[in-house]
Amino acid sequence: KALEAAVEKWQSSQVTVMSAMADLLSVPEDPDVLTDPTYLPSDFPVNIIAKRGLLDLLKQEVTLWHAYLRGRILDVRSVVQLLDAALHVKGEVRGQRPNTRMNTMYINPIESRRDGIILDYNRVRTRLAKLGEDYVGDFPVMKLADTYRLSTVSGRSVGDSHRQEGWAQTGAGP
């Protein structure tokens, strides 16, 4: 309810907030929160944003997107930790039925969550890249290999020195 009220308030006041874009926006008399679009400065081409004087508002939006991307990096780190713990427990499971149950109930949902976070991160990064490379900042494209984490439970094994942790785990990214 509170989110719907906030979105409805933004939809009804977006013509006032983004008065420079009023001719491009169509806000109905009675806005429907679930179906009517809500516009952000990044929804428009950069040349129109610059021409209409919304660069300050765009910079604020980009700052919020950067914070969102940093949050998604932290989310993927915690999900990968959960996945590592589940895979460690799976190594101790014996038998076909317990193994299948472990995969379907624990490991597959965690992997799906990790993949969804990666897709969301890349979607937002692509949105910023459409505005120009200056707005992307230090956020590289995230791949599955970037989330790789060396085991903290098992000892060193052959090949560890050849496969490094991904930037999303080491903090070498943004």
Side-chain angles (χ1 to χ4, degrees), residues 130-149:
K130 285 181 184 176
L131 295 172
E133 287 300 316
D134 297 340
Y135 295 106
V136 175
D138 297 331
F139 296 98
V141 175
M142 188 184 293
K143 300 180 289 283
L144 188 59
D146 297 329
T147 64
Y148 177 73
R149 180 175 183 247

Side-chain angles (χ1 to χ4, degrees), residues 79-91 102 107 110 149 152-153:
V79 168
V80 168
Q81 287 175 351
L82 282 173
L83 183 61
D84 284 351
L87 289 172
H88 179 69
V89 170
K90 182 187 175 195
M102 188 71 181
I107 294 174
I110 295 172
R149 180 175 183 247
T152 58
V153 177

Side-chain angles (χ1 to χ4, degrees), residues 147-167:
T147 64
Y148 177 73
R149 180 175 183 247
L150 291 172
S151 174
T152 58
V153 177
S154 59
R156 289 189 44 91
S157 60
V158 176
D160 277 354
S161 61
H162 297 288
R163 185 156 185 205
Q164 302 296 319
E165 286 189 331
W167 65 261

